[in-house]
Amino acid sequence: AMGIPTFYGCVRLIAELIASQPFAPYRKLKGGGSEVSKDHPLWMLWHLRPNAQMSSYEMRRMMIVNLKVHGFAVARIIRDEKNRPASIVPYPSPQIDIYFDTVTESYFFKHEGKKLAFSEDDAIFLKDLNLGGDKPGSIVDWQSRTIKTHLLANKFTERYYEKGAFVSGLLSSPLIKSKESAETYKEAFLNALSGGEHGGSGLAAVGPETTYTPITRSNTESQLIEFLEKSDNDIYKFFGVSPNLIGDTNKASSWGASVENAFIMLVQTVLLPLGKQFEEEVDYKCFRADEIKADNYHKFNFRALLRGDAKTYAEYVRTMLTNGVISQDEVRAWDEMAPIPEGHGANYWIQGAMMRLDNPNPASPAPNAAPQPAIKNGFPINGHTLSEQ
């Protein structure tokens, strides 16, 4: 199936987008919100290298590729003396045998080549769409007939054109009276088109009254092209990917006129479900019970993919700033910019014309507002001079 360009393109797109997004352990704060747990060993594994052989990007990409192609992905967790992950090693799914113990109701994994066996508690186990947890299914399993038919059509097309099993035109002349003369004329034309053994000049020397009649595309060719296009559409449906995201610009997407809209739909319908499964599995397998109770969790940050174009992003930031939801320093941190010096960017701002909903009279102070000093002739009446104020 990975030999089909459309299938390969969908798997590549999904795996590379998931692998390239920030993924880190977080800790909830008592006052609300959360922060990245850079002091936790898992931060270094997900940020830099989960094992000595590959980067975090390579490890996550490998797991998503195995998940989408083979229906499941397995990575072994190697723990330290404090029962925290010290290394995470993924394995190709075809090299892993899955066993389910009906007594303990647990999974066990065995790697024949490495003579290695480990339990479910020490594995990140991702499963694609399936009817039973002990037998993961894959897109290739579910759609085997469609993929097989596509492969057969590709093989037939290859042989069709490779063997010359089609007629592109008819060459006729009164001088063609035998098989030998026909071959001579045919060779002259082919040499002229392909260059021949002498390099060719694009000219063919033929006899008088020779005519060439091109033949339009046959029904077989037309049906093959239509069938392969339909098969490509089926593969797009398998993965939920818009055709223009993998370079198929001939098909108009119904997800919106812009690539930004297609990315937003891809994140919401494809990447978020995969990310959610990854987050929940890592939380359960990589955190200890006391760390989970202390509100530690993992999260993908898909903000960059949901940002939209520059104009839409600017309007979003402006709305968040003017409503006091975020500070200027928080916006700058999204693009890895340093805070504004002297803490000026840490303040929260709001439009001055706004008032509280429970204040019916804008001229009167809001309920529970701090008392204001009496004013006479522009000076506060509180026993102090203006200079002292």
Side-chain angles (χ1 to χ4, degrees):
M2 288 292 277
I4 302 174
T6 306
F7 191 98
Y8 175 88
C10 291
V11 172
R12 177 196 58 79
L13 177 70
I14 294 172
E16 291 184 349
L17 286 179
I18 288 282
S20 61
Q21 301 313 302
F23 181 71
Y26 286 81
R27 181 187 301 111
K28 290 185 179 180
L29 302 176
K30 292 183 179 180
S34 58
E35 64 178 1
V36 178
S37 305
K38 292 188 177 181
D39 57 341
H40 198 285
L42 280 168
W43 183 83
M44 185 63 71
L45 295 182
W46 297 123
H47 182 71
L48 194 59
R49 297 189 84 80
N51 58 73
Q53 286 71 39
M54 61 181 61
S55 65
S56 175
Y57 171 87
E58 293 173 323
M59 180 262 193
R60 285 181 283 158
R61 182 181 63 179
M62 174 181 172
M63 292 198 70
I64 298 300
V65 169
N66 278 277
L67 174 66
K68 300 309 296 182
V69 176
H70 297 287
F72 71 97
V74 175
R76 183 188 176 203
I77 304 172
I78 302 174
R79 305 182 186 274
D80 59 14
E81 64 279 359
K82 295 182 179 180
N83 201 30
R84 285 179 165 182
S87 179
I88 302 176
V89 183
Y91 299 110
S93 296
Q95 299 177 8
I96 295 293
D97 293 325
I98 303 176
Y99 299 92
F100 183 75
D101 184 8
T102 56
V103 177
T104 61
E105 294 187 349
S106 300
Y107 291 103
F108 291 88
F109 307 96
K110 187 175 182 181
H111 192 296
E112 290 290 347
K114 296 182 179 295
K115 303 299 180 183
L116 181 67
F118 50 96
S119 69
E120 180 185 5
D121 293 335
D122 293 321
I124 298 175
F125 185 27
L126 303 179
K127 291 164 280 188
D128 207 355
L129 189 66
N130 61 85
L131 298 177
D134 56 332
K135 293 183 179 180
S138 71
I139 291 178
V140 179
D141 293 330
W142 291 111
Q143 303 296 333
S144 59
R145 291 183 179 180
T146 300
I147 293 174
K148 180 180 179 180
T149 306
H150 189 109
L151 293 173
L152 290 174
N154 275 337
K155 183 181 293 186
F156 176 79
T157 303
E158 180 182 351
R159 292 178 178 177
Y160 182 76
Y161 287 100
E162 186 181 56
K163 302 295 184 181
F166 66 98
V167 178
S168 61
L170 297 176
L171 186 66
S172 60
S173 171
L175 299 179
I176 300 178
K177 298 181 178 180
S178 64
K179 181 179 179 180
E180 290 75 15
S181 60
E183 291 294 334
T184 301
Y185 271 72
K186 179 180 176 181
E187 183 178 358
F189 263 82
L190 292 178
N191 284 338
L193 295 174
S194 62
E197 55 182 324
H198 302 295
S201 60
L203 298 175
V206 295
E209 301 181 17
T210 301
T211 58
Y212 175 77
T213 305
I215 297 178
T216 58
R217 180 178 294 165
S218 66
N219 292 334
T220 302
E221 294 177 78
S222 300
Q223 290 173 354
L224 277 174
I225 294 175
E226 292 176 2
F227 176 82
L228 292 176
E229 288 181 350
K230 179 185 179 302
S231 183
D232 285 341
N233 288 331
D234 290 339
I235 295 175
Y236 293 133
K237 296 175 184 177
F238 296 168
F239 293 99
V241 173
S242 179
N244 57 343
L245 293 183
I246 63 171
D248 192 348
T249 57
N250 294 324
K251 295 182 175 64
S253 173
S254 59
W255 287 357
S258 65
V259 175
E260 288 82 8
N261 290 332
F263 265 111
I264 291 173
M265 288 298 298
L266 180 69
V267 171
Q268 294 177 344
T269 60
V270 179
L271 303 187
L272 278 178
L274 287 174
K276 187 65 176 178
Q277 181 186 179
F278 203 104
E279 292 166 358
E280 292 180 348
E281 180 72 2
V282 172
D283 285 349
Y284 183 73
K285 298 294 182 63
C286 294
F287 280 136
R288 299 180 315 212
D290 61 319
E291 294 173 330
I292 296 177
K293 292 179 180 179
D295 290 331
N296 288 276
Y297 66 97
H298 284 84
K299 187 174 182 61
F300 276 102
N301 187 353
F302 293 110
R303 178 180 298 276
L305 295 178
L306 295 172
R307 179 175 293 182
D309 55 31
K311 181 179 178 181
T312 304
Y313 178 62
E315 292 176 352
Y316 167 76
V317 171
R318 186 181 303 109
T319 301
M320 299 289 280
L321 283 172
T322 56
N323 285 283
V325 179
I326 57 176
S327 67
Q328 292 169 310
D329 282 349
E330 289 173 321
V331 176
R332 294 171 66 87
W334 292 347
D335 295 317
E336 299 182 355
M337 300 172 64
I340 297 176
E342 301 180 4
H344 295 307
N347 297 314
Y348 293 84
W349 301 85
I350 195 169
Q351 292 285 356
M354 298 179 66
M355 65 179 183
R356 285 172 49 170
L357 291 175
D358 55 356
N359 183 15
N361 185 3
S364 63
N368 303 323
Q372 301 297 321
I375 301 294
K376 183 177 181 180
N377 297 327
F379 295 93
I381 306 174
N382 57 3
H384 296 279
T385 65
L386 182 62
S387 60
E388 289 174 336
Q389 290 292 322

mmCIF file of all heavy atoms in Angstrom, residues 70-100:
data_model
loop_
_atom_site.group_PDB
_atom_site.id
_atom_site.type_symbol
_atom_site.label_atom_id
_atom_site.label_comp_id
_atom_site.label_asym_id
_atom_site.label_seq_id
_atom_site.Cartn_x
_atom_site.Cartn_y
_atom_site.Cartn_z
ATOM 1 N N HIS A 70 0.129 -0.344 9.916
ATOM 2 C CA HIS A 70 -0.042 -1.689 10.470
ATOM 3 C C HIS A 70 -1.155 -1.775 11.511
ATOM 4 O O HIS A 70 -1.477 -2.873 11.973
ATOM 5 C CB HIS A 70 1.270 -2.168 11.094
ATOM 6 C CG HIS A 70 2.388 -2.293 10.097
ATOM 7 N ND1 HIS A 70 2.434 -3.305 9.152
ATOM 8 C CD2 HIS A 70 3.479 -1.524 9.878
ATOM 9 C CE1 HIS A 70 3.519 -3.155 8.405
ATOM 10 N NE2 HIS A 70 4.160 -2.082 8.822
ATOM 11 N N GLY A 71 -1.712 -0.644 11.915
ATOM 12 C CA GLY A 71 -2.826 -0.673 12.847
ATOM 13 C C GLY A 71 -2.441 -0.555 14.304
ATOM 14 O O GLY A 71 -3.307 -0.390 15.158
ATOM 15 N N PHE A 72 -1.161 -0.651 14.630
ATOM 16 C CA PHE A 72 -0.727 -0.485 16.012
ATOM 17 C C PHE A 72 0.743 -0.065 16.031
ATOM 18 O O PHE A 72 1.473 -0.249 15.066
ATOM 19 C CB PHE A 72 -0.922 -1.766 16.826
ATOM 20 C CG PHE A 72 0.028 -2.882 16.464
ATOM 21 C CD1 PHE A 72 1.192 -3.098 17.193
ATOM 22 C CD2 PHE A 72 -0.247 -3.732 15.400
ATOM 23 C CE1 PHE A 72 2.059 -4.123 16.860
ATOM 24 C CE2 PHE A 72 0.612 -4.768 15.062
ATOM 25 C CZ PHE A 72 1.767 -4.956 15.793
ATOM 26 N N ALA A 73 1.143 0.512 17.160
ATOM 27 C CA ALA A 73 2.535 0.915 17.351
ATOM 28 C C ALA A 73 2.920 0.610 18.790
ATOM 29 O O ALA A 73 2.126 0.800 19.719
ATOM 30 C CB ALA A 73 2.720 2.400 17.054
ATOM 31 N N VAL A 74 4.151 0.133 18.972
ATOM 32 C CA VAL A 74 4.627 -0.276 20.296
ATOM 33 C C VAL A 74 5.989 0.349 20.551
ATOM 34 O O VAL A 74 6.879 0.308 19.689
ATOM 35 C CB VAL A 74 4.731 -1.808 20.415
ATOM 36 C CG1 VAL A 74 5.340 -2.197 21.758
ATOM 37 C CG2 VAL A 74 3.364 -2.447 20.247
ATOM 38 N N ALA A 75 6.141 0.942 21.741
ATOM 39 C CA ALA A 75 7.435 1.465 22.181
ATOM 40 C C ALA A 75 7.691 0.983 23.604
ATOM 41 O O ALA A 75 6.809 1.091 24.469
ATOM 42 C CB ALA A 75 7.463 2.985 22.113
ATOM 43 N N ARG A 76 8.854 0.457 23.843
ATOM 44 C CA ARG A 76 9.195 -0.065 25.172
ATOM 45 C C ARG A 76 9.681 1.069 26.067
ATOM 46 O O ARG A 76 10.476 1.924 25.654
ATOM 47 C CB ARG A 76 10.279 -1.130 25.041
ATOM 48 C CG ARG A 76 10.663 -1.784 26.371
ATOM 49 C CD ARG A 76 11.869 -2.667 26.194
ATOM 50 N NE ARG A 76 12.324 -3.238 27.449
ATOM 51 C CZ ARG A 76 13.553 -3.670 27.664
ATOM 52 N NH1 ARG A 76 14.453 -3.603 26.689
ATOM 53 N NH2 ARG A 76 13.899 -4.162 28.826
ATOM 54 N N ILE A 77 9.213 1.064 27.325
ATOM 55 C CA ILE A 77 9.628 2.056 28.323
ATOM 56 C C ILE A 77 10.662 1.416 29.242
ATOM 57 O O ILE A 77 10.371 0.416 29.914
ATOM 58 C CB ILE A 77 8.431 2.553 29.150
ATOM 59 C CG1 ILE A 77 7.346 3.121 28.235
ATOM 60 C CG2 ILE A 77 8.871 3.602 30.164
ATOM 61 C CD1 ILE A 77 6.054 3.460 28.963
ATOM 62 N N ILE A 78 11.842 1.974 29.278
ATOM 63 C CA ILE A 78 12.907 1.510 30.167
ATOM 64 C C ILE A 78 12.978 2.492 31.338
ATOM 65 O O ILE A 78 13.205 3.687 31.140
ATOM 66 C CB ILE A 78 14.252 1.434 29.434
ATOM 67 C CG1 ILE A 78 14.130 0.504 28.217
ATOM 68 C CG2 ILE A 78 15.358 0.952 30.369
ATOM 69 C CD1 ILE A 78 15.357 0.478 27.341
ATOM 70 N N ARG A 79 12.781 2.015 32.563
ATOM 71 C CA ARG A 79 12.641 2.887 33.724
ATOM 72 C C ARG A 79 13.911 2.949 34.571
ATOM 73 O O ARG A 79 14.744 2.042 34.537
ATOM 74 C CB ARG A 79 11.456 2.424 34.574
ATOM 75 C CG ARG A 79 10.143 2.328 33.797
ATOM 76 C CD ARG A 79 8.988 1.918 34.692
ATOM 77 N NE ARG A 79 7.772 1.688 33.911
ATOM 78 C CZ ARG A 79 6.908 2.627 33.573
ATOM 79 N NH1 ARG A 79 7.128 3.885 33.946
ATOM 80 N NH2 ARG A 79 5.838 2.338 32.867
ATOM 81 N N ASP A 80 14.025 4.042 35.357
ATOM 82 C CA ASP A 80 15.156 4.205 36.266
ATOM 83 C C ASP A 80 14.801 3.661 37.648
ATOM 84 O O ASP A 80 13.744 3.055 37.846
ATOM 85 C CB ASP A 80 15.576 5.676 36.332
ATOM 86 C CG ASP A 80 14.445 6.579 36.808
ATOM 87 O OD1 ASP A 80 13.436 6.056 37.341
ATOM 88 O OD2 ASP A 80 14.548 7.811 36.627
ATOM 89 N N GLU A 81 15.664 3.917 38.614
ATOM 90 C CA GLU A 81 15.447 3.380 39.954
ATOM 91 C C GLU A 81 14.249 4.014 40.655
ATOM 92 O O GLU A 81 13.723 3.455 41.624
ATOM 93 C CB GLU A 81 16.706 3.574 40.807
ATOM 94 C CG GLU A 81 17.092 5.030 41.070
ATOM 95 C CD GLU A 81 17.853 5.655 39.907
ATOM 96 O OE1 GLU A 81 18.086 4.934 38.910
ATOM 97 O OE2 GLU A 81 18.217 6.838 40.013
ATOM 98 N N LYS A 82 13.808 5.193 40.192
ATOM 99 C CA LYS A 82 12.633 5.844 40.772
ATOM 100 C C LYS A 82 11.351 5.505 40.009
ATOM 101 O O LYS A 82 10.329 6.155 40.197
ATOM 102 C CB LYS A 82 12.840 7.361 40.789
ATOM 103 C CG LYS A 82 13.973 7.821 41.691
ATOM 104 C CD LYS A 82 14.066 9.345 41.694
ATOM 105 C CE LYS A 82 15.185 9.820 42.610
ATOM 106 N NZ LYS A 82 15.285 11.308 42.619
ATOM 107 N N ASN A 83 11.433 4.510 39.146
ATOM 108 C CA ASN A 83 10.294 4.057 38.349
ATOM 109 C C ASN A 83 9.826 5.125 37.361
ATOM 110 O O ASN A 83 8.662 5.166 36.977
ATOM 111 C CB ASN A 83 9.127 3.623 39.234
ATOM 112 C CG ASN A 83 8.156 2.704 38.504
ATOM 113 O OD1 ASN A 83 8.551 1.957 37.599
ATOM 114 N ND2 ASN A 83 6.888 2.764 38.872
ATOM 115 N N ARG A 84 10.738 5.990 36.940
ATOM 116 C CA ARG A 84 10.450 6.988 35.931
ATOM 117 C C ARG A 84 11.087 6.573 34.612
ATOM 118 O O ARG A 84 12.132 5.907 34.600
ATOM 119 C CB ARG A 84 10.989 8.358 36.343
ATOM 120 C CG ARG A 84 10.179 9.059 37.423
ATOM 121 C CD ARG A 84 10.806 10.391 37.770
ATOM 122 N NE ARG A 84 9.910 11.258 38.517
ATOM 123 C CZ ARG A 84 10.210 12.489 38.911
ATOM 124 N NH1 ARG A 84 11.395 12.991 38.619
ATOM 125 N NH2 ARG A 84 9.337 13.208 39.581
ATOM 126 N N PRO A 85 10.487 6.921 33.473
ATOM 127 C CA PRO A 85 11.076 6.540 32.179
ATOM 128 C C PRO A 85 12.458 7.163 31.988
ATOM 129 O O PRO A 85 12.630 8.380 32.112
ATOM 130 C CB PRO A 85 10.079 7.099 31.157
ATOM 131 C CG PRO A 85 8.792 7.216 31.903
ATOM 132 C CD PRO A 85 9.168 7.577 33.301
ATOM 133 N N ALA A 86 13.427 6.316 31.706
ATOM 134 C CA ALA A 86 14.775 6.789 31.386
ATOM 135 C C ALA A 86 15.048 6.718 29.891
ATOM 136 O O ALA A 86 15.935 7.401 29.383
ATOM 137 C CB ALA A 86 15.815 5.956 32.136
ATOM 138 N N SER A 87 14.265 5.885 29.183
ATOM 139 C CA SER A 87 14.431 5.740 27.744
ATOM 140 C C SER A 87 13.152 5.138 27.165
ATOM 141 O O SER A 87 12.478 4.350 27.841
ATOM 142 C CB SER A 87 15.630 4.839 27.422
ATOM 143 O OG SER A 87 15.791 4.680 26.034
ATOM 144 N N ILE A 88 12.821 5.541 25.945
ATOM 145 C CA ILE A 88 11.650 5.008 25.240
ATOM 146 C C ILE A 88 12.110 4.558 23.860
ATOM 147 O O ILE A 88 12.629 5.359 23.084
ATOM 148 C CB ILE A 88 10.535 6.066 25.120
ATOM 149 C CG1 ILE A 88 10.116 6.546 26.513
ATOM 150 C CG2 ILE A 88 9.337 5.495 24.375
ATOM 151 C CD1 ILE A 88 9.091 7.662 26.487
ATOM 152 N N VAL A 89 11.904 3.272 23.558
ATOM 153 C CA VAL A 89 12.424 2.682 22.321
ATOM 154 C C VAL A 89 11.266 2.101 21.511
ATOM 155 O O VAL A 89 10.632 1.125 21.943
ATOM 156 C CB VAL A 89 13.457 1.578 22.613
ATOM 157 C CG1 VAL A 89 14.041 1.043 21.312
ATOM 158 C CG2 VAL A 89 14.555 2.110 23.518
ATOM 159 N N PRO A 90 10.955 2.666 20.343
ATOM 160 C CA PRO A 90 9.899 2.092 19.497
ATOM 161 C C PRO A 90 10.437 0.968 18.630
ATOM 162 O O PRO A 90 11.638 0.921 18.327
ATOM 163 C CB PRO A 90 9.461 3.286 18.646
ATOM 164 C CG PRO A 90 10.717 4.088 18.491
ATOM 165 C CD PRO A 90 11.491 3.918 19.778
ATOM 166 N N TYR A 91 9.544 0.054 18.216
ATOM 167 C CA TYR A 91 9.926 -1.057 17.353
ATOM 168 C C TYR A 91 8.985 -1.118 16.148
ATOM 169 O O TYR A 91 7.803 -0.762 16.259
ATOM 170 C CB TYR A 91 9.861 -2.389 18.116
ATOM 171 C CG TYR A 91 10.786 -2.472 19.302
ATOM 172 C CD1 TYR A 91 10.283 -2.472 20.602
ATOM 173 C CD2 TYR A 91 12.161 -2.537 19.121
ATOM 174 C CE1 TYR A 91 11.133 -2.548 21.694
ATOM 175 C CE2 TYR A 91 13.025 -2.616 20.213
ATOM 176 C CZ TYR A 91 12.509 -2.612 21.489
ATOM 177 O OH TYR A 91 13.352 -2.669 22.566
ATOM 178 N N PRO A 92 9.491 -1.569 14.991
ATOM 179 C CA PRO A 92 8.596 -1.761 13.839
ATOM 180 C C PRO A 92 7.513 -2.776 14.166
ATOM 181 O O PRO A 92 7.793 -3.851 14.712
ATOM 182 C CB PRO A 92 9.540 -2.273 12.739
ATOM 183 C CG PRO A 92 10.905 -1.818 13.159
ATOM 184 C CD PRO A 92 10.898 -1.840 14.657
ATOM 185 N N SER A 93 6.283 -2.456 13.845
ATOM 186 C CA SER A 93 5.158 -3.328 14.201
ATOM 187 C C SER A 93 5.276 -4.744 13.638
ATOM 188 O O SER A 93 4.907 -5.708 14.331
ATOM 189 C CB SER A 93 3.844 -2.684 13.748
ATOM 190 O OG SER A 93 3.625 -1.476 14.445
ATOM 191 N N PRO A 94 5.760 -4.956 12.392
ATOM 192 C CA PRO A 94 5.862 -6.331 11.894
ATOM 193 C C PRO A 94 6.815 -7.208 12.706
ATOM 194 O O PRO A 94 6.748 -8.435 12.621
ATOM 195 C CB PRO A 94 6.384 -6.149 10.452
ATOM 196 C CG PRO A 94 5.967 -4.767 10.077
ATOM 197 C CD PRO A 94 6.074 -3.970 11.332
ATOM 198 N N GLN A 95 7.697 -6.603 13.513
ATOM 199 C CA GLN A 95 8.645 -7.378 14.309
ATOM 200 C C GLN A 95 8.113 -7.702 15.701
ATOM 201 O O GLN A 95 8.784 -8.363 16.485
ATOM 202 C CB GLN A 95 9.969 -6.618 14.427
ATOM 203 C CG GLN A 95 10.655 -6.350 13.096
ATOM 204 C CD GLN A 95 11.926 -5.544 13.244
ATOM 205 O OE1 GLN A 95 12.397 -5.287 14.351
ATOM 206 N NE2 GLN A 95 12.506 -5.139 12.122
ATOM 207 N N ILE A 96 6.898 -7.229 16.011
ATOM 208 C CA ILE A 96 6.338 -7.414 17.346
ATOM 209 C C ILE A 96 5.171 -8.395 17.298
ATOM 210 O O ILE A 96 4.260 -8.259 16.480
ATOM 211 C CB ILE A 96 5.866 -6.072 17.938
ATOM 212 C CG1 ILE A 96 7.048 -5.137 18.152
ATOM 213 C CG2 ILE A 96 5.106 -6.283 19.231
ATOM 214 C CD1 ILE A 96 8.023 -5.604 19.225
ATOM 215 N N ASP A 97 5.205 -9.380 18.167
ATOM 216 C CA ASP A 97 4.078 -10.305 18.358
ATOM 217 C C ASP A 97 3.329 -9.891 19.619
ATOM 218 O O ASP A 97 3.940 -9.630 20.672
ATOM 219 C CB ASP A 97 4.577 -11.741 18.499
ATOM 220 C CG ASP A 97 5.186 -12.264 17.205
ATOM 221 O OD1 ASP A 97 4.689 -11.895 16.136
ATOM 222 O OD2 ASP A 97 6.169 -13.024 17.288
ATOM 223 N N ILE A 98 1.999 -9.830 19.512
ATOM 224 C CA ILE A 98 1.162 -9.399 20.634
ATOM 225 C C ILE A 98 0.473 -10.620 21.241
ATOM 226 O O ILE A 98 -0.142 -11.414 20.538
ATOM 227 C CB ILE A 98 0.109 -8.378 20.172
ATOM 228 C CG1 ILE A 98 0.783 -7.172 19.499
ATOM 229 C CG2 ILE A 98 -0.732 -7.905 21.355
ATOM 230 C CD1 ILE A 98 -0.202 -6.176 18.924
ATOM 231 N N TYR A 99 0.567 -10.741 22.566
ATOM 232 C CA TYR A 99 -0.089 -11.826 23.287
ATOM 233 C C TYR A 99 -1.017 -11.220 24.337
ATOM 234 O O TYR A 99 -0.679 -10.203 24.959
ATOM 235 C CB TYR A 99 0.937 -12.729 23.973
ATOM 236 C CG TYR A 99 1.899 -13.389 23.016
ATOM 237 C CD1 TYR A 99 3.119 -12.791 22.711
ATOM 238 C CD2 TYR A 99 1.589 -14.598 22.408
ATOM 239 C CE1 TYR A 99 4.009 -13.376 21.832
ATOM 240 C CE2 TYR A 99 2.470 -15.203 21.531
ATOM 241 C CZ TYR A 99 3.679 -14.582 21.235
ATOM 242 O OH TYR A 99 4.554 -15.172 20.364
ATOM 243 N N PHE A 100 -2.161 -11.831 24.512
ATOM 244 C CA PHE A 100 -3.108 -11.371 25.529
ATOM 245 C C PHE A 100 -3.336 -12.499 26.525
ATOM 246 O O PHE A 100 -3.782 -13.587 26.164
ATOM 247 C CB PHE A 100 -4.434 -10.958 24.881
ATOM 248 C CG PHE A 100 -5.422 -10.405 25.860
ATOM 249 C CD1 PHE A 100 -5.268 -9.135 26.380
ATOM 250 C CD2 PHE A 100 -6.521 -11.167 26.268
ATOM 251 C CE1 PHE A 100 -6.184 -8.610 27.279
ATOM 252 C CE2 PHE A 100 -7.443 -10.655 27.160
ATOM 253 C CZ PHE A 100 -7.279 -9.370 27.675
#
